[in-house]
Amino acid sequence: MAEIRNYTLNFGPQHPAAHGVLRLVLELDGEVITRADPHIGLLHRGTEKLAETKPFNQNIGYMDRLDYVSMMCNEHAYVRAIEKLIGIEAPIRAQYIRTMFDEITRILNHLLWLGAAALDIGAMSVFLYCFREREDLFDCYEAVSGARMHATYYRPGGVYRDLPDNMPQYQASKWHNEKETEQRNANRKGSLLDFITDFTERFPARIDEYEKLLTNNRIWKQRNVDIGVVSADRAKQLGFSGPMLRASGVEWDLRKMQPYAMYDKMDFDIPVGLRGDCYDRYLVRIEEMRQSNRIIRQCVRWLREHPGPVIVDDPKVAPPKRVQMKDDMEAMIHHFKLFTEGYCVPAGEAYAAVEAPKGEFGAYLISDGANKPYRLKLRAPGFPHLAAFDEMTRGHMLADGVAILSSQDIVFGEIDR
Amino acid sequence: MTSLVHTLRQRFADQLVSVTQVLEEVTVELPSQYLLDASQILRDAAEFQFDMLIDLCGVDYADYGLVQWVTEAATDEGFSRGVEQGAQQQRILDWDKPRFAVVYHLLSTTLNQRLRLRVFCEQDPLWLDSVVTIWESANWYEREAYDLYGILFRGHPDMRRLLTDYGFIGHPFRKDFPLSGQVEMRYDAKQQRVIYEPVNIEPRVLVPKVGRRDNRYLGEGE
């Protein structure tokens, strides 16, 4: 009788369902995965090493490019680590802005995840709807920082500038006539806060739309329910965090347990799953979007009523105002020193973590008293998740592997760093 | 938080090199031979319950406290901006401990507390005990530390490189590894394959590492 052997299948590095550059070496018994060996590092840019050669502020831009779908949350962790070491605290208005943008980022991230996860399983239309809403959130990023994705908006001691009073407008073109342009600009007449308010009013109904497409959809359930089950104990043992941990039934959220920024003032709930399968992870993320929407509304309400500074008034850390530089020698010197040499951070070490959309994103910073980090270690939430891929897929079909991978919300920018 | 420092001192007595609390973070330094025992206790004992290993990373202290210019001296000489390669580095902080360390970040979800564990690699072949049997998330983290720093972990089930290229030579995050690397890769039309060559980028310093000790920093940290 012929000997039957398992065969190995190479999945990726170029595969639409690999969510980037993942190479999976799968050992298959028929169509059942018996072992999965993810090969990562194809997007390894050595961010942590690069950071050692640049002044502290110049590294903020690198943080955006780690988890490139939740940009500001990464900045937040890094900036908090620096603030901790220098011993400064951002003004309260900056803290509210950070809270609001963290939640906008969470929605951005979950929308991409939802679209991509549905696409992996074969639901094309969800992707298009999700990107429609993402567009508005990118406009918020753009209005506040000038960039649609890689914002570099958070700075040690606050945020780069205050929220703008007007939104960029669409111009009429040969594809959009005057009347159409008028309609597209309808919710852009006021300030950024008005635009965000308008979004938060529309958004819950949009989530209902996604849910209508998926939550009770027979195919969606067949592909997700009881796939990739992780128990609470295993999830902790494997180092899970964020929605992955909560879907397994562990009530753990840094925003509640170790609050930072303004989260202790916010009224929101933490969704927790029961079974820890792909479907629970989907439900948790959907509910998180609704809760984020709630937090954004509370922040907007506060921000409307409380104008104030958004960055510390310390010229050794934060740049002086442009106007000031025009006729103040001192301000000019500060500006020059800050953007060439940077500032020296007292020797020591600090770990600052935020609840990023994917889980705990932490920055561990060692300083030896110079103007550059001595060592920066970034704790990416996706890293332990992908490390558990082998355990999660064993005994599942090949197609379920794709569902599990997308339920982990993998982004290679942060895993490979 | 302070109670954690207290319990740690009580429980481990003289096994620890030091327990400190700086910036509301507790750091424990352990001799490497106690790593496994201590980790087991930290995970299981009722007063610690560190059920998650959040992060594990290698650190290379080779250049710790060395800067390319100290501002007082630079001011005397006038600001010649360029930093010459191979120029003498100046020391602003002393370092008398071994070169390599591994830092563990632990989290207890039940008691809501964090702990940092630092273990120095004392012997020359860099060996440490693997904590994979205690926290499984250590698996990839230890592979990463091995890949980037060349620290080996005893008892690790699968000590392969993780992030670098297949066939990569060296440990790129060590301080003596150049930022631009050793080799570069290109397609050679004659040989019709991808070849590796020594890099032809001149390493240069854009912003020197500055140790500034003027009055705004005085009185801090000393």
Side-chain angles (χ1 to χ4, degrees):
Chain A
M1 198 173 125
E3 192 187 349
I4 300 171
R5 276 208 330 216
N6 290 344
Y7 66 97
T8 24
L9 181 89
N10 204 14
F11 179 98
Q14 295 296 329
H15 190 286
H19 286 238
V21 281
L22 167 69
R23 180 181 171 209
L24 277 174
V25 179
L26 298 170
E27 205 174 296
L28 297 173
D29 175 12
E31 221 182 313
V32 177
I33 301 172
T34 53
R35 200 176 72 94
D37 181 17
H39 287 206
I40 64 167
L42 289 113
L43 199 62
H44 178 61
R45 296 148 296 179
T47 304
E48 292 157 355
K49 177 117 180 161
L50 282 168
E52 291 168 11
T53 63
K54 298 227 167 16
F56 283 91
N57 264 16
Q58 292 182 20
N59 292 322
I60 303 174
Y62 282 135
M63 300 303 123
D64 295 311
R65 285 148 182 88
L66 289 167
D67 180 356
Y68 43 74
V69 288
S70 44
M71 293 71 67
M72 289 202 193
C73 288
N74 309 344
E75 290 173 22
H76 202 168
Y78 176 64
V79 161
R80 275 189 67 224
I82 300 175
E83 285 175 354
K84 217 170 179 178
L85 276 176
I86 312 183
I88 51 171
E89 206 164 301
I92 190 144
R93 186 174 165 86
Q95 303 273 20
Y96 269 97
I97 295 177
R98 284 182 185 178
T99 311
M100 183 173 81
F101 269 95
D102 272 12
E103 294 310 313
I104 287 179
T105 308
R106 194 176 314 278
I107 296 181
L108 260 178
N109 176 81
H110 285 358
L111 281 176
L112 180 95
W113 166 79
L114 180 64
L119 191 64
D120 281 348
I121 287 176
M124 180 80 205
S125 46
V126 186
F127 190 75
L128 301 173
Y129 292 128
C130 287
F131 268 65
R132 179 183 60 191
E133 268 70 66
R134 266 168 71 82
E135 197 60 27
D136 288 339
L137 296 174
F138 278 141
D139 287 345
C140 298
Y141 261 55
E142 189 180 356
V144 87
S145 72
R148 291 167 66 77
M149 294 185 82
H150 302 304
T152 327
Y153 180 53
Y154 295 6
R155 302 291 163 94
V159 293
Y160 178 59
R161 61 174 187 184
D162 207 347
L163 305 172
D165 290 329
N166 42 35
M167 289 292 290
Q169 307 283 315
Y170 285 113
Q171 305 287 320
S173 64
K174 62 178 173 180
W175 295 283
H176 298 286
N177 59 32
E178 291 289 338
K179 201 178 153 201
E180 253 181 289
T181 313
E182 188 63 23
Q183 280 172 355
R184 296 173 81 201
N185 283 332
N187 55 5
R188 291 161 191 273
K189 296 284 182 236
S191 67
L192 172 66
L193 287 175
D194 296 332
F195 183 75
I196 295 176
T197 311
D198 177 64
F199 176 83
T200 54
E201 279 160 10
R202 272 181 292 136
F203 191 56
R206 296 286 158 86
I207 305 179
D208 293 340
E209 280 178 25
Y210 312 142
E211 285 218 82
K212 210 173 281 174
L213 282 170
L214 294 174
T215 306
N216 285 318
N217 183 317
R218 191 156 50 97
I219 306 169
W220 181 253
K221 276 187 152 176
Q222 280 171 347
R223 291 297 305 275
N224 279 316
V225 175
D226 284 337
I227 300 295
V229 181
V230 182
S231 70
D233 282 342
R234 287 305 295 164
K236 284 188 202 171
Q237 176 71 212
L238 292 165
F240 282 14
S241 53
M244 295 286 288
L245 185 62
R246 289 191 283 275
S248 295
V250 183
E251 222 175 300
W252 180 262
D253 189 316
L254 290 179
R255 293 175 294 170
K256 285 274 190 210
M257 305 308 284
Q258 299 172 0
Y260 53 95
M262 279 296 141
Y263 282 111
D264 49 346
K265 295 254 168 59
M266 296 293 149
D267 180 25
F268 65 105
D269 300 318
I270 301 297
V272 173
L274 292 172
R275 285 186 304 267
D277 57 1
C278 289
Y279 191 68
D280 273 9
R281 294 192 270 275
Y282 156 77
L283 293 176
V284 164
R285 288 196 178 102
I286 288 282
E287 186 53 34
E288 275 187 12
M289 286 202 278
R290 292 186 195 276
Q291 298 300 330
S292 294
N293 203 57
R294 253 174 93 185
I295 300 175
I296 294 174
R297 281 179 172 216
Q298 294 168 44
C299 290
V300 169
R301 200 175 311 133
W302 191 93
L303 285 166
R304 276 186 199 283
E305 288 160 10
H306 300 81
V310 292
I311 193 158
V312 286
D313 184 23
D314 178 357
K316 306 293 182 195
V317 182
K321 287 217 160 35
R322 273 274 156 199
V323 191
Q324 237 180 322
M325 275 168 57
K326 302 293 178 195
D327 50 23
D328 185 1
M329 187 68 189
E330 196 83 347
M332 190 72 198
I333 296 170
H334 278 137
H335 182 272
F336 175 73
K337 287 307 278 180
L338 201 62
F339 284 96
T340 51
E341 180 189 305
Y343 44 84
C344 292
V345 168
E349 52 187 353
Y351 177 81
V354 296
E355 183 74 27
K358 294 180 173 63
E360 176 172 336
F361 188 95
Y364 171 49
L365 195 59
I366 305 181
S367 167
D368 60 352
N371 61 338
K372 301 173 182 181
Y374 183 75
R375 167 86 165 108
L376 173 66
K377 170 73 208 285
L378 299 157
R379 194 269 177 196
F383 189 82
H385 295 164
L386 189 64
F389 184 72
D390 179 36
E391 178 175 324
M392 287 170 80
T393 47
R394 266 182 205 204
H396 280 297
M397 306 283 270
L398 176 59
D400 295 333
V402 172
I404 291 169
L405 189 70
S406 62
S407 84
Q408 290 183 339
D409 198 1
I410 293 297
V411 160
F412 275 88
E414 56 159 11
I415 291 173
D416 292 345
R417 283 161 285 144
Chain B
M1 269 300 198
T2 37
S3 68
L4 176 62
V5 177
H6 188 70
T7 1
L8 281 164
R9 287 216 175 102
Q10 245 176 4
R11 181 76 195 231
F12 293 105
D14 51 346
Q15 287 183 3
L16 307 179
V17 179
S18 67
V19 187
T20 48
Q21 183 178 359
V22 186
L23 302 170
E24 294 176 3
E25 294 176 26
V26 183
T27 309
V28 165
E29 199 186 311
L30 270 177
S32 54
Q33 70 264 32
Y34 294 130
L35 174 62
L36 273 186
D37 296 341
S39 301
Q40 191 79 48
I41 296 169
L42 286 172
R43 190 193 70 180
D44 294 335
E47 66 266 41
F48 300 122
Q49 294 187 43
F50 288 104
D51 47 4
M52 276 175 81
L53 175 73
I54 280 293
D55 191 27
L56 184 159
C57 66
V59 183
D60 176 3
Y61 283 100
D63 286 353
Y64 194 77
L66 286 177
V67 294
Q68 279 146 334
W69 40 273
V70 182
T71 43
E72 287 146 332
T75 313
D76 295 342
E77 294 158 17
F79 288 89
S80 61
R81 288 293 158 187
V83 171
E84 287 161 38
Q85 287 302 309
Q88 194 66 43
Q89 295 196 319
Q90 288 163 292
R91 184 166 281 286
I92 52 167
L93 278 180
D94 290 324
W95 187 255
D96 50 5
K97 289 178 177 162
R99 178 176 168 190
F100 290 101
V102 173
V103 180
Y104 303 76
H105 281 95
L106 308 181
L107 169 72
S108 163
T109 53
T110 38
L111 300 177
N112 194 10
Q113 57 189 10
R114 284 180 190 274
L115 179 68
R116 180 183 302 130
L117 218 61
R118 194 196 330 273
V119 182
F120 282 99
C121 306
E122 282 130 9
Q123 305 102 338
D124 184 31
L126 305 164
W127 278 105
L128 276 185
D129 287 320
S130 166
V131 293
V132 160
T133 46
I134 298 162
W135 298 285
E136 258 176 68
S137 53
N139 190 327
W140 274 25
Y141 284 120
E142 286 178 351
R143 279 178 67 186
E144 186 193 320
Y146 158 67
D147 190 1
L148 304 179
Y149 287 96
I151 300 165
L152 291 154
F153 293 89
R154 203 177 285 120
H156 190 283
D158 184 18
M159 197 87 268
R160 283 180 295 157
R161 282 183 178 270
L162 184 67
L163 290 173
T164 50
D165 198 2
Y166 304 110
F168 190 87
I169 297 164
H171 300 289
F173 274 32
R174 289 187 174 187
K175 288 283 176 179
D176 48 14
F177 192 93
L179 184 67
S180 47
Q182 314 276 21
V183 286
E184 63 186 18
M185 190 178 82
R186 70 174 174 89
Y187 177 74
D188 187 280
K190 268 188 201 141
Q191 298 179 49
Q192 296 207 316
R193 65 184 179 90
V194 172
I195 58 166
Y196 287 88
E197 292 168 330
V199 274
N200 56 30
I201 312 167
E202 291 261 320
R204 57 181 180 148
V205 178
L206 295 176
V207 181
K209 191 175 167 190
V210 181
R212 180 176 280 283
R213 298 177 69 82
D214 57 15
N215 50 11
R216 77 184 116 144
Y217 298 110
L218 289 184
E220 283 171 23
E222 27 199 308

